[in-house]
Amino acid sequence: MAETEAKSADQASVEMIEKAAAEGVETVFDRALKMKPCPIGAEGSCCKNCGMGPCRVQAPRKEGAVRPTGVCGATAETISARNFARMVAGGAAAHGDHARGVAELFLATAKGEVSDFEIKDEQKLYQLAMDFGVEIGNRDLKDIAIDVGEIAMAEFGRQEGEILFAKRAPLKRQELWRETGTMPRGIDREVVEIMHRTHIGVDQDYKSILKAAARCSLSDGWGGSMISTELQDIMFGDPVPVAGQINLGVLKEDHVNIIVHGHEPLLPEMLVVAAQDPEMRKYAESKGAKGINLAGMCCSANEILMRHGIPVAGNFLQQELAIITGAVEAMTVDVQCEMQSLVNVARCYHTKLITTDPRAHIEGAMHIEFEEHEALNIAKRILREAIDNFPNRRAQVQIPSQSIDTVVGFSHETINYLLGGLYRASYRPLNDNIINGRIRGIAGVVGCNNARTLHDDAHLKMILELIGNDVIVLTTGCSAMAAGKYGLLTPEAAHKYAGEGLASVCEAVGIPPVLHMGSCVDNSRILMAATAVVKDGGLGDDISDLPAAGAAPEWMSEKAISIGQYFVASGVYTVFGVTWPTLGSDEVTRELFEGFDEIFKGRWDFEQDPVKAAGKMIEHIDKKRKALGIDKKRERVLYDMAKRRELEAA
Amino acid sequence: MKEKVEERVSFDGKKVKILGGIYEEGKPESPFQWRKKLRSREEMLAYLKTGERYWFSDEWYGSEKRKTPA
Ligand code: SF4
Ligand code: SF4
């Protein structure tokens, strides 16, 4: 019992971990206990970039000691920087490839080659057309969309010049990227270049490798990720505030439960349509179910939650637990963050695990490929598989009672609208409240869950500490879901948990103190929000001038490293928790933690204790306030045990 | 809607009574579709140039007080 409690801060998860133990089903939490991380790899000191290795090259801690090298002579610095850069490239590639799929579908939709998708947000299309220099005039919507789609597609294979969305950044930031040679040229090109540079015998200067990694990450944040966000918004609608429910309690015992897990919203959007088809509902009833219940997991969940209010079953570490309820008829997975163990867990129950993307097969899973020309039919086929499976439930069904209300859908445009209204839409009220001190600063708290640390706990503690100290939090990914599960995504949370200044602003506008901005690729929305604050004036003329900070307290994915790196290269102080992948080399770590501050006026930091990490963010925010001349002496309020208990009781 | 009065500490340390948050009872049943308010192409473009003026307006440069792009 004590052991299970130590695995998650979320009661619903604890309940399912116990059920798994009782039924002899192994989960990620068990494997994390059994398999300790390799200490050499964990600190980035293992190179396996050629057949003479792997070489274990840990830098000596004592001064004057002989510095070991790999067989080829590579130093600990080179190896550490290489590994770090490859993580960035892996993450950027994941986001970029996701974006390419979206761009392809967008173009096919614009050309009328697929019938199940449409342009839902005309205004956002015009916004992109303006950014891309596409003529609007009286032209047909379809022609404008085709031009936009073709330009977006070309960004992936662009060989020279500058990626187009870089122009959205503050002018000063653009200049800095040009001066430092870190302005990205093309989305694919930067990833390929990192793979080349880090090949044996190429770039062997850690500073140069790290700078190239910054350029690569920028091609993610201001390139691949931003393209995904924008084109998804045009096709599925820009997110607007919508109420939803979150946690495993959203599953329904008497319904056919289908979980959509992964990152791409294309199939989930179609499943939403198909699940509303009366014919499908009737079919479910014919099998003895009361209806069809669609729920999300990971970022596919964030996407359909934000656009349709479809409930979210949970975040990364809850994927196995959802199946363990015994109530899930089918789980579809597309790309990213799906654990291979799902097959084994699904086998213990009746759940059908269905892979849907040609790039992500799982041995032992059923594969029904998503094909855009047949989108709705495929969605219906998946639903039928799930419905047919309803009578096959065998294990005892146990659905945790926990589920809670959330309000989500705070796109950058919606924040702009909510703060200023339709006629005076603007970030001005936010800037004014930062200047007058009611809001101390802005924090982006994002990223994953990690089985090496207490599930959700660090997200929660960090966010509470920040909002308690009047720092407004923008959140995405699994972090957003953690916040949702604890009731932080409702307007009422402002009164309950935020400091007086922040609470008064949230109450006036009617927004939560923690704003859900979407999925992992939607971190690009945070870049846009930060830029809008800069452009509105009064808080400096670059992102690095803002009283703002970023964090991923429970990160695990390479995508998180890419996101962190583009936050830093965009001028944000960014702190990560759990583990840090360059600890094997003091020089590399110093360059990221200090050297980058000189180059990018933004830097990395690492702190395992989430409250201390929040403290560092607040300290940074106060430093920036001072530099802007808007500092007022104020104490940090520590979130004490009484407040914690109050939260736990909630 | 009933007003809620709360006691807070003002900037000079005095206790003051202020109006607290007021929420409508119940939960919204549908998304708040504010974007639907803009109907025609002209309205959308005008909004982009004013509401989203940071990027598109010819007159507005916010903190970046220069007309020649970097
Ligand atoms: S590239 Fe050098 S350090 Fe890396 S595995 Fe090969 S020999 Fe070892
Ligand atoms: S935040 Fe991390 S774990 Fe969660 S969906 Fe994104 S990449 Fe996966």
Side-chain angles (χ1 to χ4, degrees):
Chain A
M1 179 71 191
E3 228 176 45
T4 47
E5 269 179 359
K7 287 170 184 167
S8 177
D10 167 41
Q11 201 45 43
S13 299
V14 172
E15 228 176 87
M16 285 305 102
I17 294 167
E18 282 168 5
K19 183 172 190 272
E23 290 171 355
V25 181
E26 192 190 69
T27 66
V28 60
F29 299 96
D30 304 309
R31 290 187 296 274
L33 276 183
K34 261 194 257 164
M35 161 97 65
K36 294 288 164 215
C38 162
I40 299 155
E43 56 174 43
S45 300
C46 168
C47 180
K48 49 184 180 58
N49 292 11
C50 88
M52 295 190 287
C55 299
R56 291 168 295 170
V57 184
Q58 284 162 299
R61 298 281 183 249
K62 276 193 212 135
E63 228 174 281
V66 180
R67 299 181 70 80
T69 64
V71 173
C72 68
T75 61
E77 285 61 61
T78 301
I79 291 170
S80 184
R82 267 183 193 164
N83 287 336
F84 183 80
R86 283 192 170 211
M87 288 183 95
V88 170
H95 284 149
D97 211 37
H98 168 164
R100 190 195 331 273
V102 176
E104 278 171 349
L105 177 63
F106 178 83
L107 199 50
T109 305
K111 288 182 175 163
E113 291 167 4
V114 293
S115 52
D116 297 334
F117 295 92
E118 57 184 317
I119 307 275
K120 277 203 185 139
D121 198 322
E122 205 181 318
Q123 184 187 324
K124 190 109 188 194
L125 175 68
Y126 298 145
Q127 188 172 323
L128 240 70
M130 284 166 136
D131 278 354
F132 287 168
V134 171
E135 196 204 319
I136 298 174
N138 289 323
R139 293 177 73 206
D140 207 55
L141 196 70
K142 184 174 161 240
D143 295 330
I144 299 172
I146 293 174
D147 285 357
V148 165
E150 274 167 358
I151 294 174
M153 275 307 285
E155 287 293 278
F156 297 93
R158 175 193 276 280
Q159 300 304 325
E160 53 194 26
E162 299 175 355
I163 56 167
L164 290 172
F165 279 147
K167 286 203 179 58
R168 286 181 164 187
L171 301 175
K172 210 168 163 191
R173 187 64 17 191
Q174 294 179 39
E175 274 173 2
L176 186 148
W177 290 334
R178 279 182 206 118
E179 277 162 20
T180 53
T182 50
M183 178 66 94
R185 297 152 296 182
I187 297 168
D188 293 349
R189 177 168 184 171
E190 304 306 343
V191 175
V192 170
E193 189 175 306
I194 291 291
M195 296 314 280
H196 177 199
R197 267 177 193 256
T198 54
H199 185 276
I200 179 178
V202 188
D203 201 350
Q204 281 146 130
D205 174 342
Y206 70 93
K207 289 190 181 175
S208 152
I209 298 171
L210 293 177
K211 230 160 130 186
R215 178 159 62 181
C216 180
S217 72
L218 289 170
S219 79
D220 172 355
W222 298 87
S225 284
M226 207 169 269
I227 287 180
S228 296
T229 298
E230 302 294 271
L231 297 184
Q232 285 171 187
D233 283 354
I234 297 175
M235 277 192 289
F236 310 131
D238 196 54
V240 293
V242 54
Q245 285 266 316
I246 188 164
N247 215 344
L248 293 169
V250 304
L251 297 173
K252 293 184 185 162
E253 186 156 358
D254 48 10
H255 279 58
V256 174
N257 290 300
I258 299 152
I259 292 205
V260 291
H261 173 19
H263 278 72
E264 298 195 342
L266 319 182
L267 173 64
E269 282 285 334
M270 273 304 109
L271 284 169
V272 172
V273 176
Q276 283 157 3
D277 186 334
E279 191 197 318
M280 281 288 137
R281 285 179 182 266
K282 243 190 239 151
Y283 190 50
E285 281 160 14
S286 77
K287 300 282 172 178
K290 280 216 175 117
I292 302 168
N293 182 37
L294 208 59
M297 176 82 43
C298 277
C299 283
S300 292
N302 280 328
E303 302 272 7
I304 50 175
L305 169 69
M306 275 196 313
R307 297 200 177 90
H308 306 284
I310 299 289
V312 171
N315 49 6
F316 176 67
L317 287 180
Q318 288 178 293
Q319 54 187 285
E320 296 169 325
L321 305 181
I323 298 178
I324 289 163
T325 60
V328 176
E329 273 57 57
M331 180 184 270
T332 65
V333 298
D334 48 52
V335 289
Q336 301 167 22
C337 301
E338 296 111 7
M339 295 198 275
Q340 193 167 351
S341 62
L342 286 174
V343 173
N344 293 337
V345 179
R347 243 182 237 136
C348 299
Y349 300 86
H350 73 303
T351 309
K352 283 186 184 169
L353 183 70
I354 307 172
T355 52
T356 60
D357 191 286
R359 295 163 294 186
H361 292 256
I362 301 180
E363 199 189 335
M366 175 187 274
H367 187 75
I368 302 179
E369 201 153 300
F370 173 71
E371 219 269 296
E372 55 211 34
H373 299 276
E374 281 295 317
L376 192 56
N377 285 339
I378 289 166
K380 285 187 179 170
R381 198 180 138 202
I382 290 171
L383 286 189
R384 261 185 232 110
E385 287 286 347
I387 295 167
D388 287 338
N389 202 17
F390 183 74
N392 298 335
R393 287 187 186 178
R394 48 178 191 256
Q396 187 211 346
V397 171
Q398 182 188 333
I399 300 172
S401 57
Q402 287 84 354
S403 78
I404 189 164
D405 290 337
T406 57
V407 182
V408 303
F410 294 95
S411 58
H412 140 71
E413 291 82 356
T414 289
I415 296 178
N416 196 31
Y417 167 78
L418 287 178
L419 291 176
L422 200 61
Y423 296 101
R424 303 189 53 168
S426 138
Y427 272 65
R428 194 70 241 157
L430 177 65
N431 284 24
D432 284 344
N433 279 302
I434 294 175
I435 293 165
N436 70 26
R438 270 194 206 103
I439 295 179
R440 193 171 192 158
I442 309 170
V445 183
V446 306
C448 327
N449 294 131
N450 187 315
R452 299 281 174 211
T453 186
L454 189 62
H455 174 222
D456 285 349
D457 186 67
H459 289 297
L460 181 63
K461 284 190 177 139
M462 175 179 278
I463 293 174
L464 279 175
E465 186 69 18
L466 290 166
I467 59 175
N469 281 284
D470 294 321
V471 176
I472 191 165
V473 172
L474 311 180
T475 182
T476 62
C478 289
S479 183
M481 295 182 238
K485 281 186 278 175
Y486 294 95
L488 301 179
L489 299 183
T490 56
E492 292 81 357
H495 182 61
K496 224 161 158 189
Y497 306 117
E500 286 188 10
L502 175 60
S504 64
V505 177
C506 291
E507 280 169 6
V509 186
I511 55 172
V514 184
L515 300 180
H516 185 310
M517 292 191 93
S519 61
C520 313
V521 292
D522 292 335
N523 283 307
S524 59
R525 295 190 204 277
I526 299 184
L527 295 178
M528 297 286 283
T531 305
V533 172
V534 170
K535 299 224 175 199
D536 211 294
L539 290 168
D541 54 8
D542 183 23
I543 295 175
S544 63
D545 294 330
L546 299 178
E554 296 182 33
W555 78 277
M556 64 90 202
S557 155
E558 286 174 334
K559 289 184 290 167
I561 292 288
S562 178
I563 293 164
Q565 180 86 340
Y566 72 62
F567 267 50
V568 169
S570 300
V572 182
Y573 166 77
T574 305
V575 53
F576 271 35
V578 195
T579 178
W580 183 250
T582 69
L583 291 178
S585 162
D586 288 346
E587 279 86 345
V588 171
T589 308
R590 205 176 304 124
E591 179 68 6
L592 295 170
F593 288 17
E594 293 166 24
F596 265 26
D597 210 10
E598 273 158 41
I599 309 173
F600 296 109
K601 300 188 175 72
R603 68 181 188 90
W604 281 98
D605 206 346
F606 168 54
E607 172 56 63
Q608 281 170 318
D609 179 332
V611 175
K612 279 194 196 147
K616 284 177 158 195
M617 293 161 82
I618 294 168
E619 214 175 282
H620 175 82
I621 284 170
D622 285 349
K623 201 174 88 192
K624 292 294 172 184
R625 294 188 66 87
K626 193 159 182 225
L628 290 165
I630 53 169
D631 56 323
K632 280 196 207 123
K633 187 97 190 101
R634 58 200 285 176
E635 294 301 319
R636 214 184 116 205
V637 188
L638 268 171
Y639 233 81
D640 59 14
M641 274 320 285
K643 281 192 179 167
R644 275 281 292 158
R645 267 195 293 274
E646 192 187 315
L647 173 82
E648 267 148 24
Chain B
M1 237 172 295
K2 238 181 108 198
E3 285 170 358
K4 235 175 33 194
V5 178
E6 289 172 13
E7 202 173 79
R8 297 270 172 104
V9 183
S10 75
F11 66 95
D12 52 1
K14 281 192 201 130
K15 290 204 166 158
V16 288
K17 293 213 160 135
I18 59 159
L19 281 182
I22 31 177
Y23 305 104
E24 270 182 51
E25 289 293 322
K27 285 183 218 162
E29 269 160 27
S30 53
F32 176 45
Q33 293 286 5
W34 66 272
R35 286 174 84 80
K36 295 248 159 79
K37 290 182 181 176
L38 295 155
R39 292 200 196 114
S40 66
R41 180 174 291 189
E42 286 66 40
E43 269 180 28
M44 288 179 195
L45 292 177
Y47 181 77
L48 284 171
K49 286 181 181 159
T50 53
E52 298 271 334
R53 62 183 181 270
Y54 316 107
W55 282 274
F56 306 120
S57 163
D58 293 335
E59 293 93 52
W60 183 269
Y61 289 85
S63 62
E64 299 168 331
K65 290 186 182 52
R66 53 183 169 180
K67 288 227 168 190
T68 11

